[in-house]
Amino acid sequence: MVKRVDTSVPDEDDGASHQPTRLEPSPYFSKVSDETLRVTSGHRLAPTVSGFRLVNEGTGKELVVTSGAAQLGSEASNELALADATVSRIHAEVKIEDQRAVVRDLGSTNGTFIDGVRIREGYPRNGSLLRLGQVTIRFELLDKLHGVPVSEATRFGELVGLSSQMRIAFKLLEKAAKTDSTIIIEGETGTGKTRAAQGLHDQSARANKPFLVVDCGAMPANLLEAELFGHEKGAFTGATARRLGVFEEAHGGTVLLDEIGELPLELQPKLLRVLEDRQIRRLGQNQWTKVDVRILAATHRDLRGDVNSGRFRSDLYFRLAVLRVPLPALRQHAEDIAAVADGLLTRLGATPKSHPRLFTPQFFKSLEGHAWPGNVRELRNHLERCMLFEEPVPFGDGQTAAQPALVLSGGAFTDARQKAIDAFERSYLTSLLEKHKGKVSVAAVEADVDRVYLYRLMRKHGIKPK
């Protein structure tokens, strides 16, 4: 819970590009250069964690946080707004993580300092002074301990987890499912962001209506705009008929904007209009059309740094981030790997009878020792290979042994790389469509990409569903 003790904030601007006044580097800053420095206190909190208080030394304004995180910056929508020209829009974040307080710089112009040391990520002591631009904030741990809210459930939709990290995420998702609020789901590639969004839809009042996914990074701006908003007949070359965009197609339901950080700047004001007024205008159309849709967003990037650099509009970010739900990487909750693997094997059609060597404690224990940089998606691929051979296989031992090697001789590097990519795409798409008997929508779900992007790849390689 975040409690504002003084709710006065600076006036909001008009959303125009903002850059804080850049400070001249101090002698100490030039000495430490741009290294990542960690300031550790050696203090570890109990399983129930203390909250913290942030006090602006200049104004006396303070913020008390007992759970979650606090964003600090010059933008009025931050939990602690700092009206100073040397502070970036979303300058830094302070949160309780792994039972201790963490301060993270969010790509600010003038940096974040803990007790005089510039950091990207650091651990403050009780009483530490944080400096953001020219503003000094005193950090204080609260004496009273506060329990962290966790879900009683060990799954949310297709997501499975017994660890506290996953059950904290489940609690946020359970709360979000009861509302129509816009949510940003954050996490590394393969952590299950699309599955989380599907679970949100399935447990909401919109469950019987469409759930559509758009990959914002899979199409150029003109195609993405037509996909989102639709077009009228004759709106552009090739527009031979009216086509509804996903916001209209999903009427009454939910739209997930995957990789929202890739949304082109020119489309961001149009998305803001949808979020604020629930109105869209098709390409080639003059009037606005009302839409009834819930919008979810997912990203593997920290959009707050993109806000500071001008790559993402701050007004759009704050309108999207009504609630942020971070999904932990698989390596951060290794105790869940056995349960996740068991569920994946079941969904893939394996049983203890059909694949007895994949349901042993020894096999599940071996999975816990791997880092899984590709997270659940990598784990799923590994389990599929194990099912193919009906026994455990070495990590990273793919199917290349059964496939002819791609031999490239001479030529420019970029040309050779593109040939390799094209060969992979053709082989992958052909096998995927054969597996699903030409059903593109089903194939898109397994490939974890939007069906529009899949169609685009098929046209590129002249592949037709059979």
Side-chain angles (χ1 to χ4, degrees):
M1 183 182 75
V2 176
K3 176 184 177 184
R4 293 183 190 270
V5 178
D6 183 343
T7 57
S8 61
V9 295
D11 293 335
E12 291 190 61
D13 59 25
D14 59 0
S17 177
H18 162 84
Q19 286 294 334
T21 301
R22 184 179 292 275
L23 294 172
E24 290 299 320
S26 67
Y28 187 82
F29 168 67
S30 61
K31 182 172 68 176
V32 300
S33 184
D34 195 28
E35 295 178 9
T36 301
L37 299 175
R38 294 177 181 269
V39 181
T40 59
S41 64
H43 175 70
R44 295 194 65 83
L45 299 174
T48 51
V49 300
S50 171
F52 57 87
R53 179 184 291 108
L54 301 174
V55 183
N56 187 328
E57 295 279 86
T59 65
K61 182 192 301 184
E62 67 177 49
L63 177 74
V64 176
V65 180
T66 56
S67 66
Q71 285 181 179
L72 294 74
S74 60
E75 175 71 43
S77 299
N78 287 290
E79 281 77 22
L80 185 59
L82 307 172
D84 190 280
T86 63
V87 177
S88 295
R89 283 188 181 274
I90 310 177
H91 196 109
E93 174 187 62
V94 185
K95 66 186 299 186
I96 297 292
E97 187 175 277
D98 294 333
Q99 303 170 12
R100 56 181 169 178
V102 181
V103 179
R104 288 192 179 92
D105 182 83
L106 299 173
S108 67
T109 298
N110 291 316
T112 301
F113 295 75
I114 300 179
D115 295 328
V117 180
R118 182 168 183 167
I119 56 94
R120 289 199 187 105
E121 179 179 287
Y123 306 116
R125 302 174 178 87
N126 188 22
S128 284
L129 295 180
L130 316 180
R131 181 159 61 83
L132 289 68
Q134 291 182 336
V135 177
T136 300
I137 305 294
R138 187 172 70 255
F139 171 86
E140 298 175 348
L141 283 171
L142 301 180
D143 293 332
K144 184 179 178 181
L145 297 178
H146 301 270
V148 178
V150 298
S151 173
E152 295 182 0
T154 56
R155 63 171 57 245
F156 182 85
E158 292 187 3
L159 300 180
V160 177
L162 288 72
S163 65
S164 59
Q165 295 98 317
M166 288 301 292
R167 290 167 62 204
I168 288 171
F170 291 168
K171 188 69 173 180
L172 292 172
L173 290 167
E174 288 165 358
K175 289 183 177 181
K178 299 175 183 177
T179 74
D180 253 358
S181 296
T182 306
I183 311 296
I184 289 184
I185 305 170
E186 302 173 333
E188 295 179 7
T189 299
T191 50
K193 298 185 292 294
T194 301
R195 308 300 180 194
Q198 180 74 62
L200 275 172
H201 173 75
D202 292 343
Q203 296 188 31
S204 74
R206 297 175 177 268
N208 294 326
K209 298 295 184 178
F211 173 74
L212 300 180
V213 181
V214 178
D215 188 339
C216 296
M219 290 176 275
N222 60 331
L223 292 181
L224 181 58
E225 183 175 11
E227 177 69 12
L228 291 173
F229 302 103
H231 59 76
E232 294 292 324
K233 180 179 179 180
F236 51 84
T237 303
T240 57
R242 170 190 285 183
R243 183 183 184 280
L244 300 183
V246 293
F247 292 130
E248 288 186 273
E249 276 191 86
H251 180 76
T254 305
V255 170
L256 170 64
L257 301 178
D258 199 11
E259 295 305 342
I260 187 68
E262 307 300 327
L263 186 70
L265 267 172
E266 60 266 32
L267 295 185
Q268 292 180 22
K270 296 186 176 184
L271 176 58
L272 186 62
R273 179 69 179 260
V274 180
L275 289 167
E276 291 184 338
D277 301 329
R278 289 301 191 267
Q279 292 184 337
I280 62 98
R281 187 166 61 188
R282 301 186 202 107
L283 296 178
Q285 184 184 37
N286 293 323
Q287 69 269 24
W288 292 91
T289 302
K290 282 283 188 181
V291 291
D292 173 21
V293 65
R294 182 186 190 179
I295 298 175
L296 305 176
T299 179
H300 73 282
R301 293 159 55 168
D302 192 330
L303 295 181
R304 296 169 297 184
D306 290 344
V307 168
N308 289 330
S309 67
R311 290 192 298 269
F312 203 86
R313 290 177 59 108
S314 63
D315 48 3
L316 177 58
Y317 170 78
F318 283 108
R319 191 62 187 82
L320 286 167
V322 175
L323 177 66
R324 294 170 53 230
V325 180
L327 294 181
L330 194 55
R331 62 183 176 277
Q332 295 172 326
H333 57 115
E335 63 268 38
D336 288 332
I337 289 177
V340 173
D342 183 82
L344 288 172
L345 285 169
T346 299
R347 286 202 295 276
L348 290 169
T351 66
K353 184 176 181 180
S354 64
H355 294 80
R357 300 185 64 181
L358 303 186
F359 285 87
T360 66
Q362 294 82 3
F363 176 64
F364 289 134
K365 189 67 177 177
S366 71
L367 299 176
E368 295 177 5
H370 187 60
W372 301 114
N375 295 296
V376 178
R377 184 175 297 146
E378 181 186 358
L379 175 60
R380 177 192 171 106
N381 291 342
H382 178 72
L383 294 174
E384 283 196 271
R385 289 194 292 271
C386 292
M387 288 176 59
L388 178 65
F389 291 100
E390 298 185 345
E391 64 179 2
V393 298
F395 295 115
D397 183 18
Q399 299 174 351
T400 54
Q403 298 173 346
L406 179 65
V407 178
L408 300 171
S409 59
F413 168 77
T414 53
D415 293 339
R417 180 177 63 179
Q418 189 58 53
K419 289 178 181 178
I421 292 172
D422 290 343
F424 163 75
E425 289 178 349
R426 282 192 296 271
S427 175
Y428 179 84
L429 288 172
T430 301
S431 299
L432 185 68
L433 291 169
E434 286 179 356
K435 177 179 178 181
H436 294 291
K437 300 178 180 179
K439 296 179 180 178
V440 178
S441 59
V442 179
V445 171
E446 177 174 331
D448 202 13
V449 298
D450 185 74
R451 59 184 173 83
V452 175
Y453 180 58
L454 207 60
Y455 275 118
R456 183 182 168 199
L457 288 177
M458 290 165 60
R459 287 195 298 271
K460 173 183 174 183
H461 297 292
I463 299 173
K464 297 182 178 179
K466 297 177 181 179

